[in-house]
Amino acid sequence: MTSETSIWSSPPASLALLDDEACVWRLRLDRSPEEFLPLLEEDELARANRFYFEKDRKHFIVARGFLRVLLGRYLHANPKQLQFSYGAWGKPALDGEFRDSLLRFNMSHSHGIALYAVTKSREIGVDVEHVRPDFTSDSVARRFFSPFEVGVLCELPEDDRVAAFFRCWTRKEAYIKATGRGLSQPLDGFDVSLGPAALLRNEDGAPERWTMIDVEVGPGYAGALVVEGPVAKIRYWDADERN
């Protein structure tokens, strides 16, 4: 999925994370789940086995297993030994030995692609969506977008609406994941832009607290990243590339 003009690079052998930067990882999920299966805990295996389709089960195992591998590399820890806790609305965080770690992370996957976002000492959220033109109806927009966002979307030329819809969708998803409130947060309680990425209005009247960035995932996908506070640099690592 890479090209000469791609934002994605081969990851280094040794990972480091500065205080004022964030790292985004991209992974294809069409790997064998066998290498990741031994890393998962019983609750993760139970979640995997609840999927009706085998393909979805395998993708969950790969996505979750790679999360452990990735965090283990940043923490210089055994991925199998990592423990997680979950916020009131389901956002995962490190627990156990690394409960007091400054590392923050989030992940999202859609249609065979996963994104992972990592930073230090600040909240972070990421979202990826497979672009489906048949999903971008006015009724869906009115259900999930704010009145301001619906108004902007309806004013756009027909040919621009699909891309704008998914820009809005991924930005909103990344934001509610960053705050940790998930879908308990009223989606009409904040506004995102449909042009250049920005949080325009939020529930506490301080949208400038958050940095919102589009992620160029690849053809057929939309992605967004939201980080608490300013970010000096974002590094994009392609987990499928090798040096």
Side-chain angles (χ1 to χ4, degrees):
M1 292 181 68
T2 57
S3 68
E4 292 183 0
T5 59
S6 174
I7 62 173
W8 302 95
S9 301
S10 301
S14 179
L15 299 180
L17 191 61
L18 301 178
D19 291 339
D20 60 352
E21 72 177 17
C23 292
V24 181
W25 290 73
R26 181 180 65 179
L27 175 74
R28 289 181 180 272
L29 297 176
D30 56 355
R31 297 185 175 198
S32 169
E34 302 306 319
E35 64 177 298
F36 299 108
L37 203 55
L39 302 179
L40 303 189
E41 294 187 338
E42 290 186 7
D43 66 310
E44 294 168 315
L45 294 173
R47 288 176 63 187
N49 289 330
R50 286 198 290 268
F51 285 97
Y52 183 82
F53 294 107
E54 181 67 10
K55 182 178 181 181
D56 294 333
R57 187 185 77 87
K58 290 180 177 179
H59 282 181
F60 175 85
I61 292 170
V62 172
R64 190 72 182 198
F66 184 79
L67 173 66
R68 286 181 165 272
V69 171
L70 183 61
L71 296 179
R73 289 183 63 188
Y74 279 106
L75 295 167
H76 305 289
N78 183 340
K80 175 69 175 177
Q81 303 304 317
L82 296 181
Q83 295 177 287
F84 299 99
S85 62
Y86 298 87
W89 295 280
K91 186 175 182 179
L94 289 163
D95 203 357
E97 179 184 355
F98 297 101
R99 178 180 300 176
D100 297 326
S101 169
L102 299 179
L103 198 66
R104 301 290 183 269
F105 65 92
N106 199 233
M107 65 173 289
S108 175
H109 57 89
S110 176
H111 203 68
I113 292 291
L115 290 184
Y116 303 82
V118 185
T119 190
K120 289 173 65 176
S121 304
R122 62 181 79 191
E123 297 304 324
I124 193 167
V126 69
D127 188 58
V128 58
E129 301 291 341
H130 180 233
V131 174
R132 292 173 45 199
D134 62 315
F135 187 66
T136 59
S137 66
D138 289 346
S139 61
V140 172
R142 290 190 177 91
R143 180 180 177 186
F144 293 104
F145 296 172
S146 72
F148 168 81
E149 294 158 349
V150 172
V152 174
L153 185 67
C154 290
E155 291 177 359
L156 293 175
E158 190 70 30
D159 292 344
D160 296 335
R161 288 189 186 178
V162 171
F165 179 97
F166 280 97
R167 284 196 299 271
C168 187
W169 184 279
T170 54
R171 292 170 186 177
K172 292 180 81 70
E173 285 281 340
Y175 175 67
I176 63 175
K177 293 176 74 177
T179 64
R181 294 180 60 191
L183 290 174
S184 72
Q185 186 165 342
L187 293 175
D188 61 356
F190 64 97
D191 300 326
V192 303
S193 63
L194 275 67
L199 178 64
L200 303 177
R201 177 182 67 92
N202 68 345
E203 64 286 350
D204 61 9
E208 67 279 359
R209 173 186 169 194
W210 302 91
T211 299
M212 182 173 286
I213 301 158
D214 289 331
V215 179
E216 298 174 13
V217 183
Y221 293 86
L225 173 73
V226 173
V227 186
E228 184 182 20
V231 182
K233 186 176 181 61
I234 301 175
R235 303 181 188 275
Y236 297 92
W237 304 124
D238 190 331
D240 298 300
E241 291 291 318
R242 297 292 186 271
N243 284 315

